[in-house]
Structure formats: C-alpha cells, structure tokens
Amino acid sequence: MRCPFCGNEDSQVKDSRPTEDNGAIRRRRQCEACAARFTTFERIQLRELTVLKSEDKREPFERDKLVRSVSIAARKRPVTAAQIERLVSGIQRQLETLGDSEIPSQRIGELVMEGLKGLDPVAYIRFASVYKDFREAKDFEEFAGNVSEAGTSKRDGE
Ligand SMILES: [Zn+2]
C-alpha cells in the first residue's frame, strides 16, 4: 500500500481488526520510510457495480461517495459513523445480489431513504429533499425544454 504522505510502497501493518459491522478489515499501517501512520480498509466486493445516472450516463459505483452523501444528510444528527457504514454496507450487499450489474441511481436513492427512515427522521427528510429536488430539476428541464420549443417563457411562482 503506497504511503499517502511520501509515496513509499512499503508499509508495516501495526494493527488489524474487523470493523464494527464485520463488513471490512481495518488495518493501521505505518510507512517504513517516513513513519507516517494511515488506515486502510479491506472489503469484500462480490462484483463490479455500475450506476445508471441517465440513459447515456454511467459511472462506477463508489461506496465512499454514498457514505459521503449519507453523512451530509446526517450531519449534526445522532447518527454514528458506524450506523452509516452499516447502512451503506447493507445497500451495497443488496445491490450486489440483485443480479443486475447496472443499477439506476434512483434505486440507490430509494434504498438510502428506506434505511435513513429508520435511523433519523431529520436525516431522512434532508436526504429525501435533496434527492427529490434533483429529480424535479430534471423534470423541470424537460418541462422548460418543451416550453421554449413552443416559444413561450416560464413564469415563476404559482
Ligand atoms: Zn511515507
């Protein structure tokens, strides 16, 4: 594992133990060149997942990205990092066993909402509103496109 501080290739494992949800092995490492310490996580991945953002937009599933967006929704709420890890691990495992390697981003959003609902109502509402706005923004683009084609302009409010 390359040291993130000096780029040296060799590090020593100081400590190795499973994460709270048993979904990964956490390793404390020390760089053999600059002695900096860092942590790595080793996880089981059943297969590669692709997220379908839209009809012609795909990107590889990134677990960290999902953890980040859930963490933002749960900011300053009584939701622990371990709970978020568990939620994301559960979703990832579910997606991996679905039988389809291309997953619509919508499906992932729904799974996160389902999970957050049981964890914290505020985090749930935050995530749902961001997710909903995103979808409505897309709807709105389609709507705006139709309107401008018809040669009229959009009105605010109502
Ligand atoms: Zn180093």
Side-chain angles (χ1 to χ4, degrees):
M1 189 64 62
R2 186 188 294 273
C3 169
F5 302 97
C6 74
N8 182 54
E9 300 273 355
D10 299 307
S11 62
Q12 236 186 344
V13 175
K14 299 305 236 183
D15 180 45
S16 191
R17 59 189 142 132
T19 55
E20 206 180 306
D21 67 352
N22 270 317
I25 301 288
R26 182 180 185 276
R27 294 190 209 282
R28 287 293 294 158
R29 292 171 183 270
Q30 184 164 31
C31 173
E32 287 180 0
C34 74
R37 285 169 182 263
F38 54 99
T39 306
T40 56
F41 290 90
E42 187 181 300
R43 281 178 204 287
I44 298 162
Q45 187 173 0
L46 298 179
R47 56 210 179 89
E48 298 286 328
L49 295 172
T50 304
V51 182
L52 267 174
K53 307 283 276 187
S54 62
E55 238 166 80
D56 54 357
K57 208 175 159 225
R58 289 168 168 76
E59 59 182 46
F61 173 79
E62 278 178 67
R63 185 199 155 82
D64 292 347
K65 225 168 148 178
L66 193 54
V67 169
R68 261 200 310 279
S69 59
V70 175
S71 304
I72 290 168
R75 190 171 282 160
K76 291 185 178 165
R77 296 298 305 165
V79 180
T80 65
Q83 284 177 311
I84 294 173
E85 284 291 317
R86 247 195 317 270
L87 172 66
V88 171
S89 292
I91 290 171
Q92 186 176 5
R93 196 59 72 234
Q94 239 176 302
L95 296 175
E96 283 173 347
T97 50
L98 272 180
D100 199 345
S101 57
E102 289 195 345
I103 322 278
S105 55
Q106 197 178 325
R107 182 80 194 105
I108 298 173
E110 282 161 7
L111 288 172
V112 172
M113 287 198 288
E114 265 170 45
L116 278 180
K117 217 176 204 172
L119 275 184
D120 182 71
V122 173
Y124 165 72
I125 289 165
R126 281 183 193 154
F127 188 89
S129 65
V130 169
Y131 173 71
K132 227 173 141 251
D133 279 348
F134 174 73
R135 291 186 60 194
E136 280 169 1
K138 189 172 166 276
D139 294 344
F140 177 75
E141 274 168 37
E142 279 166 26
F143 168 77
N146 292 338
V147 169
S148 62
E149 270 166 38
T152 49
S153 62
K154 170 213 157 230
R155 253 191 300 163
D156 283 333
E158 287 176 67

